[in-house]
Amino acid sequence: FGKRFSYATVFGATPQTVWETLRSAEDDDGRLIYPEIKLKEARETRKTWLGANPEIERWWATTVQRFREQRYLTEPVAGWRRDFLDGEDFNELVNFVPQSSGAALVHRATLRLVDGPVAELPFQRWGPGTGLIQQGHDALVFEVPEAHAERLCGVVTEAMTQTVAGHPVPYTAEAVIYRNWKEKR
């Protein structure tokens, strides 16, 4: 509940969207977890949570103001810029920097692991279908021989844990080993 609620809220979801997000949550068997939640409860919980965390709405206002002044936003990791040519959209504005920063951090780690000086996980290192097999905006998936998994788990964690100039808190990540996709749940 907490993860779904806080992520939806912090990224600017309306009370209606927060409610729909919570009501659509399913357990591993496909059963709805929170079908009894009412829109009024979601609205009141969101209002209370934002009241207890005023920095969220200040961040939203600062982001929108920065866009209005510059007519674009940049993310701080790689300096990627978005011009929002379709105009001002609140959700797109407040989601751009955190989402693109996550992607930029993963991009940095990917280059380091696949092409960098310590490139321990180049494409097809152990044959077809090994090495990097998937890069998402905030995750990497590698296929490696089991004998190398533990050591490479540490290598991936190290590559994904980064600092960014001007940011006092490091970005951390932890690699996890799975024997197959079904285990990942």
Side-chain angles (χ1 to χ4, degrees):
F1 178 93
K3 182 178 179 180
R4 283 179 164 269
F5 173 82
S6 60
Y7 273 91
T9 302
V10 80
F11 287 113
T14 64
Q16 175 81 27
T17 302
V18 171
W19 176 65
E20 290 170 357
T21 299
L22 294 171
R23 286 190 42 105
S24 68
E26 297 178 349
D27 64 16
D28 290 340
D29 296 321
R31 290 186 300 263
L32 294 176
I33 301 171
Y34 312 111
E36 74 288 347
I37 292 176
K38 306 289 186 240
L39 176 57
K40 181 179 179 182
E41 292 174 285
R43 182 182 298 111
E44 289 171 0
T45 303
R46 180 182 181 275
K47 181 179 178 181
T48 300
W49 192 79
L50 287 171
N53 298 282
E55 65 276 9
I56 302 298
E57 290 181 295
R58 283 195 304 268
W59 163 56
W60 292 343
T62 300
T63 300
V64 171
Q65 185 60 37
R66 186 177 317 117
F67 168 75
R68 288 176 178 166
E69 290 169 3
Q70 300 175 160
R71 305 310 300 168
Y72 66 88
L73 294 174
T74 57
E75 63 77 27
V77 178
W80 295 337
R81 172 181 162 153
R82 180 164 176 200
D83 293 319
F84 300 90
L85 297 177
D86 290 335
E88 182 178 311
D89 178 296
F90 174 78
N91 286 97
E92 288 187 22
L93 292 174
V94 300
N95 279 276
F96 172 70
V97 171
Q99 295 295 328
S100 60
S101 295
L105 290 164
V106 171
H107 180 72
R108 274 185 174 180
T110 302
L111 292 175
R112 184 171 173 202
L113 292 164
V114 174
D115 287 335
V118 294
E120 297 219 34
L121 288 161
F123 296 108
Q124 302 192 38
R125 178 169 179 188
W126 297 276
T130 65
L132 178 65
I133 61 169
Q134 192 270 330
Q135 176 185 351
H137 82 278
D138 65 355
L140 297 171
V141 178
F142 295 93
E143 184 79 26
V144 304
E146 191 170 352
H148 298 280
E150 198 67 43
R151 182 181 68 77
L152 292 172
C153 188
V155 169
V156 172
T157 295
E158 184 180 322
M160 292 285 283
T161 300
Q162 303 173 42
T163 58
V164 174
H167 289 240
V169 178
Y171 294 86
T172 61
E174 182 180 349
V176 179
I177 299 170
Y178 295 104
R179 294 176 68 74
N180 57 55
W181 285 102
K182 187 176 181 180
E183 246 182 52
K184 184 171 181 321
R185 299 188 143 200

